[in-house]
Amino acid sequence: MNYNLVIYVKYHHKIRAVFKAHFYSTITDHISELRMLRTKKLIINKDIMIKEIAIECGYEYVQNFTRHLRKSPEYHRKP
């Protein structure tokens, strides 16, 4: 068995548990929250295209970004 895999499996759950105890959320939820905070700052600038905001916030696919936006109406652009 690969030694690196053993180390990963051994500490993977520990890291997740420590993170959740410290931040009160999962790593995935925390990253998503950070992305949405960045979105909130960028989306008020109407000169920046949605695609550019998606890339800036770490989304590989614009579709995933827009799906996330639809779930959070407070991040919609004002006309």
Side-chain angles (χ1 to χ4, degrees), residues 19-39:
F19 188 93
K20 190 166 187 170
H22 184 72
F23 290 103
Y24 305 105
S25 69
T26 64
I27 294 171
T28 303
D29 289 344
H30 187 70
I31 290 170
S32 180
E33 183 179 337
L34 291 175
R35 285 177 168 175
M36 286 292 108
L37 288 173
R38 180 77 176 136
T39 297

Side-chain angles (χ1 to χ4, degrees), residues 14-71:
K14 178 74 172 168
I15 291 169
R16 288 174 54 184
V18 169
F19 188 93
K20 190 166 187 170
H22 184 72
F23 290 103
Y24 305 105
S25 69
T26 64
I27 294 171
T28 303
D29 289 344
H30 187 70
I31 290 170
S32 180
E33 183 179 337
L34 291 175
R35 285 177 168 175
M36 286 292 108
L37 288 173
R38 180 77 176 136
T39 297
K40 190 174 186 177
K41 291 178 182 179
L42 294 174
I43 205 155
I44 59 174
N45 184 347
K46 293 183 181 182
D47 294 333
I48 303 174
M49 295 173 52
I50 295 295
K51 181 179 180 178
E52 292 172 319
I53 295 173
I55 292 167
E56 178 72 26
C57 293
Y59 286 89
E60 187 173 352
Y61 301 104
V62 177
Q63 296 86 353
N64 292 342
F65 178 71
T66 55
R67 187 177 316 117
H68 234 116
L69 280 180
R70 279 190 224 117
K71 292 179 184 177

Side-chain angles (χ1 to χ4, degrees), residues 7-20:
I7 295 297
Y8 173 79
V9 170
K10 183 177 180 180
Y11 292 106
H12 182 259
H13 294 291
K14 178 74 172 168
I15 291 169
R16 288 174 54 184
V18 169
F19 188 93
K20 190 166 187 170

